[in-house]
Amino acid sequence: MSPSVEAPSVEHRFVEVNGVRLHIAEQGQGPLVLLLHGFPESWYSWRHQFGPLAAAGYRVVAPDQRGYARSEQPADISAYSMLHLTGDVIGLIRALGEDQAVVVGHDWGAPVAWTTAMLRPDVVRGVAGLSVPPVPRGTAAPLPALVAELGEGFYQQYFQEPGVADAELARDVRSTFRRLLYGGSGDSPLTDPPVPWVIPEGASVLDTMPEPKELPGWLTDADIDAFARDYAEHGDRAFTGGLNWYRNIDRNWELLAPFHGRGIDIPALYVAGDRDLVRAFPGMDRLLPVLDQVLPRLHANVTLPGCGHWTQQERPDEVNAALLDFLAQLPVRD
């Protein structure tokens, strides 16, 4: 199937969760599997997972998370904290008429999945993260430490000032997607080897991501159109909802203080490419080799050679195989 072809049986609708109108795409019947996208993506980033998972007997649901694409974009920055985001996951499971789900997340969706699993193991019967592993809460706010090591140009710090990256990314939405999806992929020279994304002083957010002359084989112009079309609904605030997630990084550390030291004690899966920029973040060289200590019920830790940041889009067959293997061994819970 061509990367840009959407299975005709994928259905779309809106549900209200915690006072926010969320767009969801769904296919199949059976145990619920929630697919949570990252930045700057949407439900469409899971286009290759719907058919295989549904065919295997699962009900597959991928929302546009709050602030993204067709979903509502609350104006208040504080409305994008991790407690809001995990609350959306629990609320969505209930809105779908289910009591439990397997939750799979990529990029920012992964911390949401990991945190939901940590907070509500009674609801999440299995958890999988692509690209971003679970990072135990430290003793100090994370962003100042990252800036101390990587500088003020580290992209998560660059994103903090409201309106700046928002305007740069929204100026030409199609170009933004072409640049970011190619630039962070395993096909880009920027990921050989992967390094943290740092914007030089005086540069804009996209200056470090040149427009590709041609797209890699896993990404088509139709894919770019699909992302851009959904983002265009928010106009010059197309990326603001997603950027507001970054603006809560240190606040999340504060809000999760009551759960410091709490582990994730349910079945888990981790999948990432060896050219993913996340691997180059400070501390990852120490965390990834001992991931089974953070996830004592880790089913598999899968590394995809030559794969960059956009895991399930770049390597759909391998990701689907890993997910189906993981799902098949999960115990059924009441």
Side-chain angles (χ1 to χ4, degrees):
M1 184 174 73
S2 166
S4 61
V5 174
E6 175 188 340
S9 52
V10 174
E11 299 178 350
H12 298 263
R13 60 188 174 103
F14 290 87
V15 296
E16 184 166 308
V17 176
N18 300 323
V20 177
R21 189 169 183 256
L22 298 181
H23 163 257
I24 65 169
E26 57 186 327
Q27 182 180 2
Q29 299 294 325
L32 178 61
V33 179
L34 279 186
L35 305 176
L36 306 178
H37 66 80
F39 181 89
E41 297 173 281
S42 70
W43 73 272
Y44 188 77
S45 67
W46 300 103
R47 60 195 176 278
H48 303 300
Q49 281 66 55
F50 282 96
L53 269 61
Y58 299 98
R59 181 186 183 187
V60 186
V61 176
D64 289 336
Q65 298 201 74
R66 69 164 60 199
Y68 282 91
R70 304 184 206 178
S71 288
E72 188 176 353
Q73 188 180 98
D76 190 346
I77 291 175
S78 67
Y80 297 87
S81 77
M82 187 57 72
L83 293 184
H84 289 86
L85 305 176
T86 54
D88 286 349
V89 175
I90 298 300
L92 180 56
I93 292 170
R94 303 299 188 209
L96 293 170
E98 304 285 353
D99 295 322
Q100 294 182 324
V102 176
V103 183
V104 181
H106 168 256
D107 184 75
W108 256 114
V112 176
W114 297 125
T115 306
T116 308
M118 178 186 72
L119 299 179
R120 295 300 305 270
D122 58 319
V123 176
V124 181
R125 67 187 191 92
V127 60
L130 311 183
S131 174
V132 180
V135 179
R137 182 181 182 275
T139 57
L143 202 51
L146 288 167
V147 171
E149 186 154 350
L150 299 173
E152 291 288 337
F154 180 54
Y155 76 101
Q156 294 183 5
Q157 176 67 16
Y158 188 93
F159 287 172
Q160 294 304 305
E161 183 63 32
V164 176
D166 314 51
E168 294 169 359
L169 294 172
R171 188 168 295 121
D172 184 336
V173 174
R174 288 193 84 261
S175 177
T176 292
F177 276 107
R178 286 174 58 88
R179 290 167 182 260
L180 294 185
L181 292 177
Y182 171 72
S185 76
D187 300 273
S188 169
L190 299 177
T191 63
D192 185 19
V195 294
W197 186 15
V198 176
I199 294 95
E201 185 176 358
S204 72
V205 67
L206 293 176
D207 286 344
T208 56
M209 299 275 184
E211 180 86 33
K213 294 180 179 178
E214 60 181 32
L215 295 174
W218 58 270
L219 186 66
T220 69
D221 283 326
D223 296 330
I224 298 296
D225 289 340
F227 283 118
R229 185 166 53 247
D230 284 349
Y231 269 65
E233 295 189 15
H234 294 295
D236 61 1
R237 292 176 59 84
F239 295 90
T240 297
L243 289 168
N244 282 342
W245 290 39
Y246 290 92
R247 293 162 186 158
N248 279 275
I249 288 176
D250 285 348
R251 185 164 179 260
N252 290 336
W253 177 80
E254 296 173 357
L255 292 172
L256 292 173
F259 308 99
H260 186 95
R262 181 173 175 84
I264 300 172
D265 54 2
I266 64 170
L269 169 70
Y270 177 66
V271 183
D274 65 0
R275 291 180 61 165
D276 191 328
L277 61 86
V278 171
R279 286 183 175 270
F281 279 23
M284 286 295 167
D285 57 338
R286 298 186 300 276
L287 173 63
L288 293 177
V290 297
L291 203 56
D292 57 347
Q293 296 179 24
V294 180
L295 298 169
R297 299 182 66 184
L298 181 64
H299 173 69
N301 182 348
V302 180
T303 300
L304 302 175
C307 181
H309 182 62
W310 314 107
T311 326
Q312 74 274 22
Q313 297 187 71
E314 294 185 54
R315 296 290 190 274
D317 292 342
E318 293 93 328
V319 168
N320 292 344
L323 288 175
L324 289 170
D325 174 67
F326 175 62
L327 291 167
Q329 57 80 46
L330 288 176
V332 177
R333 290 165 54 186
D334 297 327

